[in-house]
Amino acid sequence: MSLRLRTALAVLTLAVTAAACGGGGGGTAAPPPGGGLSSGTPEPKGDIDAFTWVSYAEPPTLDYVHAFDYPQNMVLSNVCESLMRWTPDLKEEPGLAEKAVQRDPKTLVYTIRKGVRFHSGAEMTADDVVASLNRHLDEKVGSYWVSSFRNVESITKTGPREVTVRFKRPDALFALEMGASPGTVVSAASLKAQGKSFGTADGRLDCTGPFKLGAWTKGQSIQLDRFDGYWGDKARSGKVTFRFVPDSAARTNALVTGEADGGYLIPAASIAPLRASGAGTVYGGPNLTTANLIVSDLNGGPLADVKVRQALSLAIDREGLVKSVLGEFSAPALVPAPVQAWRNVPEARPAAPTAKRDLEAAKKLVAEAGAQGRKVVIASSNVSPEFPVISNAVQAAAKEIGLAAEVRTVAPDAFTALFSDPEARKGIDLFPTLWYLSATDPLELYGLFETGQFENYGGFSDPAYDKLVDAAGAEFDRVKRAHLTAKLQETVATRLPWIPLADLDNVMFLGKRITGAPTSISYLYYPWAADVGAAG
């Protein structure tokens, strides 16, 4: 069973990430998704002593096996590194492994980079890699990334600087995901010494990144200090302070006044005051995030009939949601995978359906299904003002086409439980999610609908679909795999185990004092803070 719950709390950030973006202080405005997003920010003109970054929440842990959400990974990406590296343009390159060779469909061999030092000063070895990766296979650890390892048979040291991964069946995505949290390498000695305190405010992280963990003041901030023994290019800043500011208005004020120098996940409501302040620039960059409605009961509820799902999809006013909730730099979508997931295989990207509302066609489908008056229960939460708006819009759409609809507001912890506990989903037909990918490959999303997958929350099952997922997962040629995935997308767009809403850009703000941070979602796994330096 997968415990990959990074999206469980990610959905709670819908209000934060689904934002409009534009230029501030004379900067360049970002266009809508797919329309020539910013490729980056200007190169720094020099080093800087320190800078401050705002985050909407404090990481509950910095243990990489439980790093499943924005606050954790935004910090951790600068302290710990992975075997491969996800670059700002969302490609993969060697990281702590200088080479990766797929010797056969079931054997992947990593050559470990020589001379890399942990923050403690000890040199990284193949033993550290084996210990770090094998934690995901230990049920007692409860890795949230265990689904990435579902096809792994063994991970062993096969030479002084060589680690071999053997698979039960071919898994083409595994190598890509080694650029994210699943591929993180930490000191094996540190893991043993720290025990349960590893990754907590009371423990330490002995990693290889350009920054090492400094003071962690619970409820307030985390400080990172430059690691001068770093194997790569030295960080441009001596230290970084992450401040936890849950209130979006307070975060905006901190950016406007200069108390904070920058931040990712800029709320839509913050764009206008940031533009007017002249304090810096708002950027929009490539993202791998979409807003969707998860159908959580495909085995008896009103949405078990595909005609009802199709009817509700036809009735939702996506344009209205984009304008009123998600912001001017999001775009309506009728497929759940983000547009940018196809960026490395543009020749294989299928044409997506257009988001066209048709109430009459929707009413006809409801009538054909004999579903008039049946009640659809939509779970929502008051964790942000946007959730009620989305839920109410879906409720209104359902009523317009002859369905009854109830919005059931639940507490944040109960909402999060929808992603991990089947019991929590009982009596719920539909709930919103903001879902991001951790590898630039659409199969990472469409593989979720394979029979029995943990994230297949509604229980979608189709033997032909499963066979195609297996074929795509065993295809190591990226373009050929993308063509197979395009067939999966066609099925999902028709059968609708999720009802898509919108495609979203990544949104960030940089104050006038600093520059260099990447604009893309790569910041979740790439050591972005090391690139930040003086703007002038």
Side-chain angles (χ1 to χ4, degrees), residues 415-432:
F415 194 81
T416 300
L418 296 173
F419 293 84
S420 59
D421 185 2
E423 290 295 317
R425 295 193 291 271
K426 285 187 175 180
I428 300 295
D429 298 301
L430 205 62
F431 60 96

Side-chain angles (χ1 to χ4, degrees), residues 216-233:
W216 184 343
T217 305
K218 291 293 290 181
Q220 297 181 33
S221 65
I222 289 177
Q223 180 178 307
L224 305 184
D225 300 315
R226 182 165 56 205
F227 175 44
D228 291 328
Y230 184 54
W231 62 273
D233 294 334

Side-chain angles (χ1 to χ4, degrees), residues 23-25 248-249 251-253 255-257 266-280 282 509:
S248 62
R251 285 198 307 280
T252 302
N253 185 63
L255 294 170
V256 167
T257 62
I266 301 301
S270 298
I271 301 302
L274 287 172
R275 280 176 172 164
S277 72
V282 178
F509 175 83

Side-chain angles (χ1 to χ4, degrees), residues 290-532:
T290 47
N292 293 277
L293 295 168
I294 290 177
V295 181
S296 51
D297 185 0
L298 291 169
N299 298 299
L303 297 179
D305 191 318
V306 67
K307 290 184 177 181
V308 181
R309 301 197 297 275
Q310 291 169 344
L312 187 55
S313 182
L314 282 169
I316 293 172
D317 182 5
R318 291 173 176 81
E319 290 284 355
L321 285 175
V322 162
K323 291 177 181 178
S324 65
V325 184
L326 303 179
E328 61 186 290
F329 293 104
S330 62
L334 281 181
V335 293
V339 171
Q340 295 292 334
W342 303 88
R343 64 184 284 123
N344 294 332
V345 282
E347 64 272 43
R349 179 188 160 198
T354 55
K356 188 176 181 180
R357 195 178 188 219
D358 191 335
L359 289 175
E360 292 308 311
K363 291 176 183 177
K364 184 177 179 181
L365 285 168
V366 171
E368 289 176 0
Q372 296 101 325
R374 294 200 66 184
K375 185 168 73 172
V376 175
V377 178
I378 308 156
S380 186
S381 175
N382 289 325
V383 295
S384 74
E386 283 81 356
F387 276 118
V389 176
I390 291 173
S391 300
N392 290 337
V394 175
Q395 180 188 43
K399 289 182 176 180
E400 280 189 276
I401 59 175
L403 297 169
E406 173 193 343
V407 174
R408 187 172 298 173
T409 301
V410 299
D413 57 346
F415 194 81
T416 300
L418 296 173
F419 293 84
S420 59
D421 185 2
E423 290 295 317
R425 295 193 291 271
K426 285 187 175 180
I428 300 295
D429 298 301
L430 205 62
F431 60 96
T433 183
L434 183 144
W435 197 276
Y436 66 87
L437 304 188
S438 297
T440 316
D441 194 307
L443 180 59
E444 192 190 49
L445 189 144
Y446 291 119
L448 302 181
F449 304 119
E450 188 175 17
T451 302
Q453 276 280 16
F454 180 69
E455 295 94 337
N456 186 355
Y457 302 116
F460 179 78
S461 183
D462 180 341
Y465 188 91
D466 295 347
K467 186 176 181 180
L468 190 54
V469 169
D470 289 344
E475 179 54 72
F476 290 91
D477 181 283
R478 200 159 198 162
V479 175
K480 291 180 180 177
R481 183 170 70 249
H483 282 300
L484 291 171
T485 305
K487 295 179 182 179
L488 294 171
Q489 176 168 287
E490 184 179 349
T491 298
V492 170
T494 303
R495 303 279 295 280
L496 297 174
W498 290 6
I499 299 176
L501 296 176
D503 206 326
L504 310 172
D505 288 340
N506 188 54
V507 187
M508 64 173 286
F509 175 83
L510 287 182
K512 289 183 174 181
R513 201 172 68 90
I514 63 171
T515 189
T519 59
S520 73
I521 194 176
S522 64
Y523 72 88
L524 292 175
Y525 309 112
Y526 171 80
W528 60 273
D531 294 346
V532 176

Side-chain angles (χ1 to χ4, degrees), residues 42-59:
E43 287 288 322
K45 295 183 178 179
D47 292 352
I48 195 169
D49 290 336
F51 70 92
T52 300
W53 206 256
V54 284
S55 174
Y56 70 89
E58 179 175 13

